[in-house]
Amino acid sequence: MAQTAMQNQRSIPNFQPLDVELRNVFKFFNQEPAVHGVDLDVKQGEFFSILGPSGCGKTTILRLIAGFERLDAGKLLIQGQSMTDVPAYKRPINTVFQSYALFNHLNVWDNIAFGLRLQKLSKLEVDGRVGDALKLVKMDSLRSRFPSHLSGGQQQRVALARALVNRPAVLLLDEPLGALDLKLRKEMQCELSNIQKNLGVTFIMVTHDQQEALSLSDRIAVMNQGKIEQVGTPSEIYERPQTSFVADFIGDTNLFSGELTTIDIGYVKVLTKSGLSIIAVRPEDTPLELLQVVNLSVRPEKIQISLYQPNLPHNCFEGRLINVMYLGTHVNYLVELTNGISVNILQPNTFGSLPDRNTPIYVWWSENDCLAISQTSRVNQ
Ligand code: ATP
């Protein structure tokens, strides 16, 4: 079974040396910035993911680190050394691609041994390293097979072994599980996580699968349009998004915009244009002014619903059910509040018989589950 984010949370100490550093990095294609002033620190032994929508610049960052593309501006350091004049083949890095890129005319053993033989290592050394790598990815019994006689998951294991056999300091993984079906993908996620932890090699993985990033990573960088929006642990990214883009991109959320009417220690009160007064967690390290417009984000699973009016002083509103979607373990409710706002709610399937559409209903949420964040992207009124 795939590990959850909570199980996976390790804390890589802050004083851990950095394996990869990007400093104000730019990369342009046809005068358009694919990477726009990116700063990034990846610590030694970390499982670091870069997550973002298609075309946001994830692969370009990986290719810059690998040395397949040149920086247009900024600095790239690997283990403290500038990589400006270091070609790809001399960097202490290997890459695993979604497409595996195995040699079809070589069997599993020879695919893995290929790079080591090029380095003219002794037969003893090659045999030892290939044998260890095969055991690591559990492909020992298939060492004589050719790639065309392997499943997608098995081919991906060989690609992983072929990269790891070179003992890179940093392994780059570009959508490594993208070609696998869901079940195999889950299995391989677990394997990937175990291999990374056992070896302690720094992994930098590019993915657009947020579940994969949340469950595997020590830290995640969320990218949008060539820029980093936020870097944090999976729970920081999910529970404390710093921008509306991150709140919206990672999981589902309800976004409302409104004016700050009260600023207090730790909390703010916001009045939406449609007249809701909502108490929310104050954003950290952000100067605030009264009447400033902010966004509020509250996750669907943090909103409670009830047929009866709860006795709560704030963040409790009346509405009616617009839609009820049965999802098996959970039920998705769409509620229209009396002032016209629609709220998306996800609750465990514990209601017994589901309420009908148009049923009057009350919704509420804790102020601790509602975040005030800087304003961009789509919002409700
Ligand atoms: P995806 O998830 O779809 O792979 P991505 O986030 O990895 O996307 P990149 O492949 O890094 O995105 O591309 C970032 C931007 O740079 C895109 O607009 C893309 O079209 C452009 N781009 C990337 N490589 C090149 C290239 N060799 N020539 C021209 N434009 C490029």
Side-chain angles (χ1 to χ4, degrees):
M1 226 179 83
Q3 291 172 316
T4 66
M6 292 312 287
Q7 287 169 318
N8 194 50
Q9 295 263 308
R10 298 182 297 176
S11 66
I12 303 274
N14 277 340
F15 53 79
Q16 188 79 353
L18 298 177
D19 257 351
V20 177
E21 296 167 70
L22 274 71
R23 298 275 169 264
N24 202 22
V25 166
F26 284 82
K27 178 69 190 174
F28 295 88
F29 293 113
N30 308 319
Q31 276 95 51
E32 289 291 321
V35 176
H36 194 128
V38 163
D39 288 300
L40 217 53
D41 287 339
V42 181
K43 294 181 235 173
Q44 214 172 74
E46 200 169 27
F47 197 133
F48 192 93
S49 294
I50 305 175
L51 180 64
S54 184
C56 71
K58 309 180 292 291
T59 300
T60 305
I61 289 197
L62 226 53
R63 290 175 60 79
L64 289 167
I65 298 171
F68 302 143
E69 300 281 358
R70 284 188 75 85
L71 279 67
D72 288 322
K75 276 191 187 154
L76 165 67
L77 293 97
I78 295 176
Q79 298 190 318
Q81 302 291 313
S82 168
M83 288 292 117
T84 310
D85 298 315
V86 181
Y89 71 93
K90 285 200 172 160
R91 298 186 183 189
I93 279 182
N94 269 92
T95 308
V96 175
F97 301 97
Q98 181 180 349
S99 59
Y100 320 132
L102 298 179
F103 300 120
N104 281 324
H105 63 289
L106 298 180
N107 67 18
V108 166
W109 180 279
D110 290 336
N111 256 287
I112 299 170
F114 186 84
L116 300 178
R117 289 178 181 147
L118 272 189
Q119 293 172 46
K120 305 236 181 317
L121 298 184
S122 70
K123 184 171 182 316
L124 198 66
E125 175 83 13
V126 173
D127 287 355
R129 285 216 216 169
V130 175
D132 288 347
L134 277 172
K135 284 196 195 91
L136 188 71
V137 299
K138 299 183 187 147
M139 285 291 289
D140 211 14
S141 59
L142 300 178
R143 55 169 67 188
S144 305
R145 287 255 185 108
F146 284 83
S148 57
H149 294 135
L150 296 174
S151 71
Q154 290 164 342
Q155 290 185 46
Q156 190 54 285
R157 282 165 208 262
V158 179
L160 200 57
R162 196 180 56 174
L164 289 169
V165 85
N166 293 314
R167 300 186 179 157
V170 180
L171 188 69
L172 305 177
L173 303 114
D174 192 356
E175 297 275 0
L177 311 179
L180 306 180
D181 66 46
L182 191 64
K183 188 163 179 292
L184 202 51
R185 201 177 168 123
K186 294 278 172 217
E187 279 172 31
M188 280 300 289
Q189 282 176 0
C190 201
E191 301 259 334
L192 208 57
S193 172
N194 289 338
I195 289 170
Q196 195 273 337
K197 286 186 179 73
N198 289 339
L199 290 181
V201 172
T202 305
F203 276 23
I204 305 180
M205 180 177 77
V206 154
T207 179
H208 59 252
D209 181 333
Q210 37 174 292
Q211 226 46 56
E212 192 160 286
L214 288 172
S215 61
L216 291 180
S217 318
D218 296 311
R219 286 189 309 148
I220 300 171
V222 182
M223 279 192 82
N224 181 28
Q225 298 185 338
K227 296 181 179 173
I228 304 284
E229 293 261 339
Q230 185 172 351
V231 178
T233 63
S235 62
E236 282 167 354
I237 295 282
Y238 188 79
E239 305 284 346
R240 290 284 179 263
Q242 285 167 359
T243 71
S244 300
F245 175 84
V246 175
D248 210 16
F249 184 72
I250 310 289
D252 284 328
T253 201
N254 293 282
L255 286 172
F256 315 103
S257 82
E259 286 179 354
L260 286 175
T261 54
T262 308
I263 302 173
D264 218 331
I265 302 164
Y267 296 95
V268 291
K269 194 185 268 183
V270 172
L271 184 64
T272 70
K273 282 185 195 142
S274 49
L276 299 184
S277 183
I278 300 174
I279 297 184
V281 174
R282 181 184 171 150
E284 282 172 22
D285 307 325
T286 311
L288 298 174
E289 284 175 19
L290 284 176
L291 302 184
Q292 178 183 335
V293 176
V294 294
N295 280 346
L296 298 178
S297 165
V298 56
R299 300 279 185 198
E301 72 275 16
K302 307 284 189 187
I303 303 182
Q304 308 298 320
I305 63 170
S306 163
L307 297 172
Y308 308 101
Q309 183 165 20
N311 184 17
L312 293 168
H314 47 249
N315 294 3
C316 177
F317 307 102
E318 196 178 349
R320 66 190 174 94
L321 262 181
I322 297 295
N323 200 17
V324 180
M325 198 185 290
Y326 178 75
L327 301 174
T329 57
H330 285 74
V331 180
N332 193 189
Y333 302 96
L334 189 66
V335 172
E336 188 180 87
L337 304 184
T338 44
N339 62 356
I341 290 187
S342 295
V343 181
N344 185 19
I345 301 160
L346 189 70
Q347 283 295 309
N349 181 11
T350 50
F351 234 110
S353 62
L354 296 176
D356 294 328
R357 286 183 196 186
N358 286 320
T359 305
I361 208 131
Y362 292 89
V363 307
W364 74 94
W365 56 84
S366 158
E367 58 272 30
N368 292 318
D369 293 325
C370 185
L371 300 180
I373 46 184
S374 65
Q375 201 186 37
T376 50
S377 76
R378 109 180 139 69
V379 286
N380 286 322
Q381 288 291 295

